Amino acid sequence: MTPPQHGTAIGTALVGAGMIGAIHRRAAAVAGARVTGVLASTPARSAQVAAEWSVPAYPSLDAVLDDDSVDVVHICSPNATHASYALRALAAGKHVVCEKPLAVSVADAERMAETARDSGLVAAVPFVYRYHPLVREIRARRIDGEFGGWHLIHGSYLQDWMLSPQASGWRVDPVAGGPSRAFADIGSHWCDLVEWVSGERFAEVTASMSVAVDKRPAAGAHTFEGAPDAEGPGAGEYMDVRTEDCAALLLRTASGVLASTTVSQVSAGRKNRLWFELDGARASAVFDQENPETIWLGGEDGARVVSRDPGRGSAEQRRLSVLPPGHPQGYAQCFEAFVADTYAAVRGDRPEGLPTFDDGLRAARITEAVLRSSRNGSWTEV
């Protein structure tokens, strides 16, 4: 496929029209893409969303892949469809943005990453928290040696959207969502972000998982094209919960640094609190995703708070600071920057820090190690 020229709108197709699909669509529009159409879970849903978005509705994935105006396919469908959809899109010569987790097994993630490398196409995964400007600031300061060697890494990622016993959906069903829920969904974000910022790589883990609510409303049929159907109770009935609500991890990096994190989707009042602290020989750094306009930097002689500022700091912090100081940026701007960088890569640029299928494979391997450790109760290699 010939890369679209600078100044030419990239043709973008959306597969999946839930909450995250809508976020992909908005970010694509902000990046100047032309949304060629949408494929949702059913023809009726596709027609409904297409009307809302003022775009065509695709009747099938084949129709998406046969459309020569499509440069990039955004895959925002249930996790169990990711591997087959992405592999088909790459085989059709389309660039791909695939939601995480990249796949529900390491074997599938390996095939996806290898296929993407061999294809020469752009294949990106939205680990979008890399795109907070002050995350880039901490990373730049680490590269400059400001913190010294790391002594300790710790943090958490807490949400409460599964707190109610009535909360459910396809993510709860391991057939559609995979064998891990909370960790694969949000713990993977924490691990990707911390590894990328700190420069460390987790080598082994000991983990424990728990289910806070043991029965939830049945998720219902998974009607996406090619999605496996779950066997279980029907509408109005309840199903046993087999994927975790919480996970606690102790990790050790390849260089011997100790780390810990707690992951939860049932922590009341915590909407999306990804938090980490990196404690170094000379200084420490703290980032809180729910308060992304400042970071805390600690030293032996005291601590200070640094605010996002497009006129100061590292080059990447300034590049990603698209609003003036005091005008808060957040998750939406991260997603927009990620999609813009993906499209820049499609055009032949090499933006710093773009997360690819190789990063999605890394997350799948960590998730598998967490699951194995939780089962066997021992330190497990990643």
Side-chain angles (χ1 to χ4, degrees), residues 243-267:
T243 54
E244 78 281 356
D245 292 305
C246 308
L249 283 65
L250 188 63
L251 307 108
R252 189 177 290 112
T253 72
S255 67
V257 178
L258 201 61
S260 66
T261 191
T262 303
V263 175
S264 169
Q265 293 179 328
V266 290
S267 294

Side-chain angles (χ1 to χ4, degrees), residues 162 168-183 209-219 222 229-233 238-246 371 374-375:
M162 293 299 291
S168 193
W170 62 260
R171 294 179 189 276
V172 178
D173 182 356
V175 174
S180 171
R181 175 169 33 97
F183 185 81
M209 294 177 165
S210 66
V211 173
V213 179
D214 60 4
K215 289 187 180 295
R216 291 187 185 274
H222 311 300
D229 289 328
E231 294 182 2
Y238 282 73
M239 60 181 175
D240 293 331
V241 175
R242 294 177 285 160
T243 54
E244 78 281 356
D245 292 305
C246 308
L371 286 168
S374 182
R375 289 193 297 266

Side-chain angles (χ1 to χ4, degrees), residues 109-367:
E110 287 174 340
R111 285 196 299 135
M112 296 165 76
E114 181 179 5
T115 301
R117 286 192 297 268
D118 291 345
S119 73
L121 296 164
V122 175
V125 179
F127 285 125
V128 298
Y129 298 118
R130 293 185 181 193
Y131 283 86
H132 278 296
L134 288 177
V135 161
R136 301 274 172 140
E137 183 68 19
I138 295 173
R139 184 172 185 269
R141 288 169 182 256
R142 183 266 296 174
I143 292 170
D144 288 343
E146 179 174 323
F147 303 107
W150 300 120
H151 289 331
L152 182 67
I153 297 170
H154 51 113
S156 60
Y157 196 159
L158 309 176
Q159 297 177 334
D160 71 355
W161 69 281
M162 293 299 291
L163 183 63
S164 169
Q166 297 305 307
S168 193
W170 62 260
R171 294 179 189 276
V172 178
D173 182 356
V175 174
S180 171
R181 175 169 33 97
F183 185 81
D185 188 22
I186 60 176
S188 59
H189 268 299
W190 189 92
C191 289
D192 174 80
L193 186 63
V194 167
E195 285 195 333
W196 189 71
V197 173
S198 71
E200 295 288 332
R201 297 277 280 185
F202 297 127
E204 54 182 342
V205 59
T206 181
S208 185
M209 294 177 165
S210 66
V211 173
V213 179
D214 60 4
K215 289 187 180 295
R216 291 187 185 274
H222 311 300
T223 53
F224 252 96
E225 175 186 340
D229 289 328
E231 294 182 2
E237 299 184 46
Y238 282 73
M239 60 181 175
D240 293 331
V241 175
R242 294 177 285 160
T243 54
E244 78 281 356
D245 292 305
C246 308
L249 283 65
L250 188 63
L251 307 108
R252 189 177 290 112
T253 72
S255 67
V257 178
L258 201 61
S260 66
T261 191
T262 303
V263 175
S264 169
Q265 293 179 328
V266 290
S267 294
R270 298 299 190 185
K271 302 305 177 184
N272 200 46
R273 189 178 188 263
L274 188 165
W275 181 95
F276 68 76
E277 177 166 337
L278 309 175
D279 296 332
R282 289 194 290 273
S284 299
V286 172
F287 175 76
D288 178 358
Q289 200 280 147
E290 287 190 335
N291 297 284
E293 289 287 272
T294 61
I295 52 175
W296 180 95
L297 299 176
E300 193 173 8
D301 58 350
R304 61 195 175 107
V305 173
V306 173
S307 298
R308 181 187 63 80
D309 188 338
R312 302 173 183 271
S314 67
E316 280 293 288
Q317 191 266 138
R318 296 196 305 271
R319 176 178 80 90
L320 295 173
S321 290
V322 296
L323 296 175
H327 298 72
Q329 289 187 208
Y331 176 81
Q333 285 74 36
C334 288
F335 221 105
E336 291 159 11
F338 159 73
V339 170
D341 271 9
T342 300
Y343 293 171
V346 167
R347 292 190 170 101
D349 295 345
R350 301 187 68 180
E352 180 180 346
L354 179 67
T356 68
F357 276 21
D358 285 328
D359 299 300
L361 171 58
R362 171 70 180 164
R365 286 175 171 156
I366 293 175
T367 300

Side-chain angles (χ1 to χ4, degrees), residues 74-85:
H74 288 242
I75 299 172
C76 315
S77 49
N79 302 341
T81 66
H82 291 178
S84 62
Y85 286 13

